[in-house]
Amino acid sequence: MHRPIIFLAVFLSAVLLALHGAQAAAPALKAHDYKMAGDRQYTRIVMHFDRAPTVNWFLLRDPNRLVLDLPATEFSFDVRELAPRGLVTGVQYGAVDEARARILFNAVGPFSVEKAEVMQNENSDGFRLIIELRASSNADFDAALRASISKPASSPVRDIVTAKKRFTVALDAGHGGADGGARGINGTVEKTITLIFALELAKKLEETGYYDVVLTRETDRFLRLDERVRIAREKNADLFVSIHADAIGIRNMRGATVYTVSDRASDAAAAATAARENLSDEIAGMVADDGQDEVEDILVDLIRRETHAFSIRFARTLIGQLSDTMQMVNNPHRHAGFRVLRAPDIPSVLLELGYLSNPSDEAQLRDPEWRTKTMDAIVTAIGYFAKAKLGAGG
Ligand SMILES: [Zn+2]
């Protein structure tokens, strides 16, 4: 039997605020008067809010769970109301970061979400969220899970969302300042070419009218890897793309590679690339503690797993588009322990555009026409991803 575990929003917020040094922006939503009723076949959940909440939901399995995403929220639920009831064996809630909160419902088995709706109260101020769950089969749950992950915003709740944020892309021009990065055999400096590329790509994305773009740097300045992540998180980025150009001792090695984060490297070359890229922090005279952003918490762990699945999905989409227009290395999706890809809640990839140690790759990177073609492919990939992730961007 699960016991409800309640994470105090205040505690988790404090931890995350301390870690990221960020300020809370808009006043938090206030959630109160949680009620749950029903049996093992049908369970109804109602909670109240001081104003209309923006809610998205999705499902997770092993165990079967419903996850509700909310903006920053102050919870004042009566703990007694959270006791297991009907289909729900446990309720957890807390802050994800300074801007977001999450509620998890553990279920006794597979279920379907019959209703997830925000209603304005008729006889009092405020709004209420009504969720109706009905017992279902494993097959039905799995089908709903796939649908909810690929289109998390498709619930009826979406209908009352008023302030729809644009899909925000964080572009991270690798290196900068004292950290020059790799050096091309004809003198191209990685920090310069990554900045040119990021600025041009930002312009292209903004011109579509579908995206907000966050640049971690717009000038030749040094940034630690965790600062790059922090900038993206502060701006609520939906996707993080770190732009690089590698260099190695093998002169004829060429082509682009897309990396996602992993504790275990896919291969020795990926591990070596991650080690080179992680050197950025050592240039600043400080080595970031790999464990510093690890909050041992089930919520953060869940978010990490969900985010990682999205990172892999974007990496594949990006490779699909890029391989039509440019040369890629063999097995172009690789993974390793890149510190800059550690945002727990933002799908993140690192794109090595090519090898500055190869004269052809270096020449391409300096060619505005080649860059335009490459960027068009990236913009297309971001478009597919944004549509799949948020239903935004199109
Ligand atoms: Zn680099």
mmCIF file of all heavy atoms in Angstrom, residues 332-366:
data_model
loop_
_atom_site.group_PDB
_atom_site.id
_atom_site.type_symbol
_atom_site.label_atom_id
_atom_site.label_comp_id
_atom_site.label_asym_id
_atom_site.label_seq_id
_atom_site.Cartn_x
_atom_site.Cartn_y
_atom_site.Cartn_z
ATOM 1 N N PRO A 332 25.333 9.254 -36.273
ATOM 2 C CA PRO A 332 25.458 10.670 -35.881
ATOM 3 C C PRO A 332 24.796 11.032 -34.550
ATOM 4 O O PRO A 332 25.055 12.094 -34.023
ATOM 5 C CB PRO A 332 24.782 11.413 -37.030
ATOM 6 C CG PRO A 332 23.905 10.415 -37.695
ATOM 7 C CD PRO A 332 24.565 9.086 -37.513
ATOM 8 N N HIS A 333 23.931 10.149 -34.012
ATOM 9 C CA HIS A 333 23.400 10.434 -32.671
ATOM 10 C C HIS A 333 24.251 9.713 -31.630
ATOM 11 O O HIS A 333 24.264 8.493 -31.567
ATOM 12 C CB HIS A 333 21.927 9.994 -32.567
ATOM 13 C CG HIS A 333 21.355 10.250 -31.192
ATOM 14 N ND1 HIS A 333 20.205 9.655 -30.748
ATOM 15 C CD2 HIS A 333 21.780 11.039 -30.171
ATOM 16 C CE1 HIS A 333 19.953 10.067 -29.507
ATOM 17 N NE2 HIS A 333 20.896 10.899 -29.140
ATOM 18 N N ARG A 334 24.962 10.488 -30.843
ATOM 19 C CA ARG A 334 25.811 9.902 -29.811
ATOM 20 C C ARG A 334 25.500 10.547 -28.472
ATOM 21 O O ARG A 334 24.867 11.595 -28.427
ATOM 22 C CB ARG A 334 27.283 10.113 -30.179
ATOM 23 C CG ARG A 334 27.599 9.456 -31.525
ATOM 24 C CD ARG A 334 29.057 9.470 -31.842
ATOM 25 N NE ARG A 334 29.269 8.865 -33.150
ATOM 26 C CZ ARG A 334 30.371 8.215 -33.498
ATOM 27 N NH1 ARG A 334 31.358 8.096 -32.646
ATOM 28 N NH2 ARG A 334 30.485 7.693 -34.711
ATOM 29 N N HIS A 335 25.948 9.907 -27.409
ATOM 30 C CA HIS A 335 25.690 10.502 -26.104
ATOM 31 C C HIS A 335 26.875 10.362 -25.173
ATOM 32 O O HIS A 335 27.675 9.433 -25.297
ATOM 33 C CB HIS A 335 24.417 9.928 -25.487
ATOM 34 C CG HIS A 335 24.324 8.438 -25.523
ATOM 35 N ND1 HIS A 335 24.871 7.645 -24.545
ATOM 36 C CD2 HIS A 335 23.754 7.604 -26.425
ATOM 37 C CE1 HIS A 335 24.633 6.381 -24.844
ATOM 38 N NE2 HIS A 335 23.965 6.317 -25.982
ATOM 39 N N ALA A 336 26.977 11.337 -24.269
ATOM 40 C CA ALA A 336 28.068 11.366 -23.297
ATOM 41 C C ALA A 336 27.716 12.390 -22.220
ATOM 42 O O ALA A 336 26.680 13.042 -22.294
ATOM 43 C CB ALA A 336 29.387 11.726 -23.984
ATOM 44 N N GLY A 337 28.601 12.540 -21.247
ATOM 45 C CA GLY A 337 28.296 13.374 -20.076
ATOM 46 C C GLY A 337 28.572 14.859 -20.248
ATOM 47 O O GLY A 337 29.367 15.442 -19.514
ATOM 48 N N PHE A 338 27.898 15.494 -21.188
ATOM 49 C CA PHE A 338 28.081 16.928 -21.415
ATOM 50 C C PHE A 338 27.421 17.721 -20.286
ATOM 51 O O PHE A 338 26.219 17.612 -20.074
ATOM 52 C CB PHE A 338 27.446 17.341 -22.745
ATOM 53 C CG PHE A 338 28.144 16.787 -23.946
ATOM 54 C CD1 PHE A 338 27.758 15.577 -24.494
ATOM 55 C CD2 PHE A 338 29.192 17.487 -24.527
ATOM 56 C CE1 PHE A 338 28.417 15.062 -25.601
ATOM 57 C CE2 PHE A 338 29.852 16.978 -25.634
ATOM 58 C CZ PHE A 338 29.466 15.764 -26.176
ATOM 59 N N ARG A 339 28.211 18.567 -19.617
ATOM 60 C CA ARG A 339 27.653 19.343 -18.501
ATOM 61 C C ARG A 339 26.641 20.373 -18.975
ATOM 62 O O ARG A 339 25.722 20.717 -18.244
ATOM 63 C CB ARG A 339 28.772 20.075 -17.756
ATOM 64 C CG ARG A 339 29.541 19.155 -16.861
ATOM 65 C CD ARG A 339 30.324 19.939 -15.801
ATOM 66 N NE ARG A 339 31.335 19.065 -15.248
ATOM 67 C CZ ARG A 339 32.637 19.305 -15.349
ATOM 68 N NH1 ARG A 339 33.068 20.397 -15.940
ATOM 69 N NH2 ARG A 339 33.501 18.467 -14.843
ATOM 70 N N VAL A 340 26.783 20.849 -20.175
ATOM 71 C CA VAL A 340 25.881 21.902 -20.656
ATOM 72 C C VAL A 340 24.500 21.334 -21.022
ATOM 73 O O VAL A 340 23.556 22.091 -21.245
ATOM 74 C CB VAL A 340 26.535 22.675 -21.834
ATOM 75 C CG1 VAL A 340 26.408 21.912 -23.144
ATOM 76 C CG2 VAL A 340 25.972 24.082 -21.939
ATOM 77 N N LEU A 341 24.370 20.032 -21.043
ATOM 78 C CA LEU A 341 23.079 19.410 -21.391
ATOM 79 C C LEU A 341 22.338 18.916 -20.150
ATOM 80 O O LEU A 341 21.493 18.044 -20.236
ATOM 81 C CB LEU A 341 23.307 18.246 -22.366
ATOM 82 C CG LEU A 341 24.028 18.590 -23.666
ATOM 83 C CD1 LEU A 341 24.173 17.351 -24.546
ATOM 84 C CD2 LEU A 341 23.274 19.682 -24.426
ATOM 85 N N ARG A 342 22.644 19.497 -18.994
ATOM 86 C CA ARG A 342 22.121 18.940 -17.747
ATOM 87 C C ARG A 342 20.835 19.583 -17.243
ATOM 88 O O ARG A 342 20.422 19.298 -16.128
ATOM 89 C CB ARG A 342 23.193 19.051 -16.646
ATOM 90 C CG ARG A 342 24.354 18.091 -16.851
ATOM 91 C CD ARG A 342 24.110 16.786 -16.081
ATOM 92 N NE ARG A 342 24.979 15.721 -16.544
ATOM 93 C CZ ARG A 342 26.157 15.417 -16.029
ATOM 94 N NH1 ARG A 342 26.622 16.111 -15.031
ATOM 95 N NH2 ARG A 342 26.849 14.407 -16.508
ATOM 96 N N ALA A 343 20.201 20.463 -17.992
ATOM 97 C CA ALA A 343 18.933 21.036 -17.508
ATOM 98 C C ALA A 343 17.945 19.899 -17.287
ATOM 99 O O ALA A 343 17.718 19.103 -18.193
ATOM 100 C CB ALA A 343 18.378 22.035 -18.521
ATOM 101 N N PRO A 344 17.368 19.791 -16.083
ATOM 102 C CA PRO A 344 16.474 18.654 -15.838
ATOM 103 C C PRO A 344 15.166 18.744 -16.614
ATOM 104 O O PRO A 344 14.517 17.737 -16.844
ATOM 105 C CB PRO A 344 16.208 18.721 -14.334
ATOM 106 C CG PRO A 344 16.486 20.125 -13.947
ATOM 107 C CD PRO A 344 17.529 20.646 -14.900
ATOM 108 N N ASP A 345 14.807 19.948 -17.021
ATOM 109 C CA ASP A 345 13.457 20.156 -17.547
ATOM 110 C C ASP A 345 13.434 20.742 -18.958
ATOM 111 O O ASP A 345 12.376 21.113 -19.446
ATOM 112 C CB ASP A 345 12.677 21.064 -16.593
ATOM 113 C CG ASP A 345 13.467 22.302 -16.193
ATOM 114 O OD1 ASP A 345 14.643 22.421 -16.616
ATOM 115 O OD2 ASP A 345 12.936 23.146 -15.466
ATOM 116 N N ILE A 346 14.587 20.863 -19.611
ATOM 117 C CA ILE A 346 14.600 21.385 -20.980
ATOM 118 C C ILE A 346 15.261 20.345 -21.893
ATOM 119 O O ILE A 346 16.432 20.015 -21.695
ATOM 120 C CB ILE A 346 15.385 22.708 -21.098
ATOM 121 C CG1 ILE A 346 14.905 23.720 -20.055
ATOM 122 C CG2 ILE A 346 15.255 23.283 -22.511
ATOM 123 C CD1 ILE A 346 15.753 24.975 -19.993
ATOM 124 N N PRO A 347 14.541 19.837 -22.874
ATOM 125 C CA PRO A 347 15.184 18.940 -23.840
ATOM 126 C C PRO A 347 16.414 19.630 -24.432
ATOM 127 O O PRO A 347 16.309 20.778 -24.871
ATOM 128 C CB PRO A 347 14.097 18.706 -24.891
ATOM 129 C CG PRO A 347 12.812 18.987 -24.182
ATOM 130 C CD PRO A 347 13.123 20.063 -23.175
ATOM 131 N N SER A 348 17.545 18.942 -24.424
ATOM 132 C CA SER A 348 18.807 19.595 -24.785
ATOM 133 C C SER A 348 19.635 18.718 -25.707
ATOM 134 O O SER A 348 19.754 17.515 -25.470
ATOM 135 C CB SER A 348 19.633 19.857 -23.515
ATOM 136 O OG SER A 348 18.920 20.654 -22.590
ATOM 137 N N VAL A 349 20.201 19.340 -26.729
ATOM 138 C CA VAL A 349 21.169 18.633 -27.573
ATOM 139 C C VAL A 349 22.377 19.528 -27.804
ATOM 140 O O VAL A 349 22.299 20.747 -27.692
ATOM 141 C CB VAL A 349 20.592 18.223 -28.966
ATOM 142 C CG1 VAL A 349 19.335 17.382 -28.823
ATOM 143 C CG2 VAL A 349 20.347 19.429 -29.848
ATOM 144 N N LEU A 350 23.496 18.887 -28.099
ATOM 145 C CA LEU A 350 24.701 19.615 -28.483
ATOM 146 C C LEU A 350 25.021 19.216 -29.917
ATOM 147 O O LEU A 350 25.121 18.032 -30.227
ATOM 148 C CB LEU A 350 25.849 19.274 -27.530
ATOM 149 C CG LEU A 350 27.152 20.043 -27.734
ATOM 150 C CD1 LEU A 350 27.792 20.375 -26.379
ATOM 151 C CD2 LEU A 350 28.140 19.282 -28.594
ATOM 152 N N LEU A 351 25.111 20.227 -30.768
ATOM 153 C CA LEU A 351 25.360 19.989 -32.183
ATOM 154 C C LEU A 351 26.802 20.349 -32.508
ATOM 155 O O LEU A 351 27.206 21.504 -32.374
ATOM 156 C CB LEU A 351 24.378 20.833 -33.014
ATOM 157 C CG LEU A 351 24.582 20.892 -34.529
ATOM 158 C CD1 LEU A 351 24.499 19.506 -35.159
ATOM 159 C CD2 LEU A 351 23.555 21.822 -35.164
ATOM 160 N N GLU A 352 27.579 19.339 -32.888
ATOM 161 C CA GLU A 352 28.924 19.595 -33.412
ATOM 162 C C GLU A 352 28.742 19.718 -34.919
ATOM 163 O O GLU A 352 28.433 18.735 -35.591
ATOM 164 C CB GLU A 352 29.885 18.450 -33.072
ATOM 165 C CG GLU A 352 30.182 18.278 -31.584
ATOM 166 C CD GLU A 352 31.232 19.245 -31.015
ATOM 167 O OE1 GLU A 352 31.733 20.097 -31.786
ATOM 168 O OE2 GLU A 352 31.526 19.148 -29.810
ATOM 169 N N LEU A 353 28.912 20.919 -35.430
ATOM 170 C CA LEU A 353 28.597 21.173 -36.837
ATOM 171 C C LEU A 353 29.571 20.514 -37.794
ATOM 172 O O LEU A 353 29.277 20.372 -38.986
ATOM 173 C CB LEU A 353 28.585 22.680 -37.093
ATOM 174 C CG LEU A 353 27.360 23.415 -36.560
ATOM 175 C CD1 LEU A 353 27.653 24.907 -36.447
ATOM 176 C CD2 LEU A 353 26.148 23.178 -37.449
ATOM 177 N N GLY A 354 30.726 20.142 -37.286
ATOM 178 C CA GLY A 354 31.737 19.528 -38.141
ATOM 179 C C GLY A 354 33.080 19.609 -37.440
ATOM 180 O O GLY A 354 33.145 19.957 -36.251
ATOM 181 N N TYR A 355 34.121 19.273 -38.175
ATOM 182 C CA TYR A 355 35.474 19.262 -37.599
ATOM 183 C C TYR A 355 36.302 20.398 -38.175
ATOM 184 O O TYR A 355 36.583 20.428 -39.384
ATOM 185 C CB TYR A 355 36.153 17.921 -37.870
ATOM 186 C CG TYR A 355 35.592 16.814 -37.014
ATOM 187 C CD1 TYR A 355 34.539 16.027 -37.467
ATOM 188 C CD2 TYR A 355 36.100 16.586 -35.734
ATOM 189 C CE1 TYR A 355 34.014 15.018 -36.665
ATOM 190 C CE2 TYR A 355 35.583 15.585 -34.928
ATOM 191 C CZ TYR A 355 34.540 14.804 -35.397
ATOM 192 O OH TYR A 355 34.015 13.824 -34.604
ATOM 193 N N LEU A 356 36.715 21.299 -37.304
ATOM 194 C CA LEU A 356 37.590 22.380 -37.746
ATOM 195 C C LEU A 356 38.965 21.839 -38.110
ATOM 196 O O LEU A 356 39.753 22.516 -38.764
ATOM 197 C CB LEU A 356 37.713 23.439 -36.642
ATOM 198 C CG LEU A 356 36.448 24.280 -36.405
ATOM 199 C CD1 LEU A 356 36.613 25.151 -35.164
ATOM 200 C CD2 LEU A 356 36.152 25.156 -37.609
ATOM 201 N N SER A 357 39.256 20.611 -37.694
ATOM 202 C CA SER A 357 40.537 19.979 -38.036
ATOM 203 C C SER A 357 40.513 19.417 -39.455
ATOM 204 O O SER A 357 41.528 18.935 -39.951
ATOM 205 C CB SER A 357 40.849 18.875 -37.023
ATOM 206 O OG SER A 357 39.689 18.113 -36.723
ATOM 207 N N ASN A 358 39.344 19.473 -40.102
ATOM 208 C CA ASN A 358 39.234 19.020 -41.495
ATOM 209 C C ASN A 358 39.055 20.236 -42.404
ATOM 210 O O ASN A 358 38.151 21.047 -42.186
ATOM 211 C CB ASN A 358 38.023 18.081 -41.625
ATOM 212 C CG ASN A 358 37.804 17.631 -43.054
ATOM 213 O OD1 ASN A 358 37.170 18.341 -43.830
ATOM 214 N ND2 ASN A 358 38.330 16.482 -43.414
ATOM 215 N N PRO A 359 39.920 20.389 -43.422
ATOM 216 C CA PRO A 359 39.859 21.616 -44.238
ATOM 217 C C PRO A 359 38.503 21.818 -44.925
ATOM 218 O O PRO A 359 38.044 22.956 -45.027
ATOM 219 C CB PRO A 359 40.976 21.426 -45.278
ATOM 220 C CG PRO A 359 41.647 20.145 -44.975
ATOM 221 C CD PRO A 359 41.018 19.496 -43.790
ATOM 222 N N SER A 360 37.833 20.736 -45.365
ATOM 223 C CA SER A 360 36.538 20.896 -46.031
ATOM 224 C C SER A 360 35.469 21.359 -45.052
ATOM 225 O O SER A 360 34.671 22.252 -45.359
ATOM 226 C CB SER A 360 36.091 19.583 -46.667
ATOM 227 O OG SER A 360 37.129 19.028 -47.422
ATOM 228 N N ASP A 361 35.442 20.735 -43.894
ATOM 229 C CA ASP A 361 34.467 21.145 -42.877
ATOM 230 C C ASP A 361 34.705 22.594 -42.461
ATOM 231 O O ASP A 361 33.771 23.375 -42.290
ATOM 232 C CB ASP A 361 34.545 20.229 -41.643
ATOM 233 C CG ASP A 361 33.644 18.995 -41.774
ATOM 234 O OD1 ASP A 361 33.143 18.751 -42.892
ATOM 235 O OD2 ASP A 361 33.471 18.281 -40.765
ATOM 236 N N GLU A 362 35.953 22.934 -42.292
ATOM 237 C CA GLU A 362 36.268 24.303 -41.868
ATOM 238 C C GLU A 362 35.805 25.309 -42.928
ATOM 239 O O GLU A 362 35.200 26.331 -42.603
ATOM 240 C CB GLU A 362 37.767 24.464 -41.607
ATOM 241 C CG GLU A 362 38.094 25.845 -41.040
ATOM 242 C CD GLU A 362 39.588 26.111 -40.889
ATOM 243 O OE1 GLU A 362 40.386 25.362 -41.483
ATOM 244 O OE2 GLU A 362 39.928 27.077 -40.181
ATOM 245 N N ALA A 363 36.044 24.975 -44.192
ATOM 246 C CA ALA A 363 35.647 25.872 -45.289
ATOM 247 C C ALA A 363 34.123 26.021 -45.322
ATOM 248 O O ALA A 363 33.600 27.126 -45.505
ATOM 249 C CB ALA A 363 36.171 25.333 -46.616
ATOM 250 N N GLN A 364 33.409 24.909 -45.118
ATOM 251 C CA GLN A 364 31.940 24.961 -45.107
ATOM 252 C C GLN A 364 31.425 25.886 -44.019
ATOM 253 O O GLN A 364 30.518 26.683 -44.235
ATOM 254 C CB GLN A 364 31.382 23.559 -44.832
ATOM 255 C CG GLN A 364 31.340 22.667 -46.056
ATOM 256 C CD GLN A 364 30.697 21.339 -45.731
ATOM 257 O OE1 GLN A 364 30.655 20.907 -44.579
ATOM 258 N NE2 GLN A 364 30.201 20.680 -46.750
ATOM 259 N N LEU A 365 31.998 25.736 -42.829
ATOM 260 C CA LEU A 365 31.530 26.542 -41.700
ATOM 261 C C LEU A 365 31.688 28.039 -41.965
ATOM 262 O O LEU A 365 30.936 28.854 -41.443
ATOM 263 C CB LEU A 365 32.277 26.146 -40.427
ATOM 264 C CG LEU A 365 31.715 24.886 -39.755
ATOM 265 C CD1 LEU A 365 32.736 24.258 -38.825
ATOM 266 C CD2 LEU A 365 30.454 25.244 -38.973
ATOM 267 N N ARG A 366 32.662 28.369 -42.803
ATOM 268 C CA ARG A 366 32.901 29.784 -43.114
ATOM 269 C C ARG A 366 32.060 30.251 -44.292
ATOM 270 O O ARG A 366 32.068 31.431 -44.625
ATOM 271 C CB ARG A 366 34.389 29.994 -43.430
ATOM 272 C CG ARG A 366 35.261 29.720 -42.228
ATOM 273 C CD ARG A 366 36.716 29.637 -42.621
ATOM 274 N NE ARG A 366 37.300 30.961 -42.804
ATOM 275 C CZ ARG A 366 38.515 31.280 -42.358
ATOM 276 N NH1 ARG A 366 39.245 30.404 -41.723
ATOM 277 N NH2 ARG A 366 38.988 32.488 -42.563
#
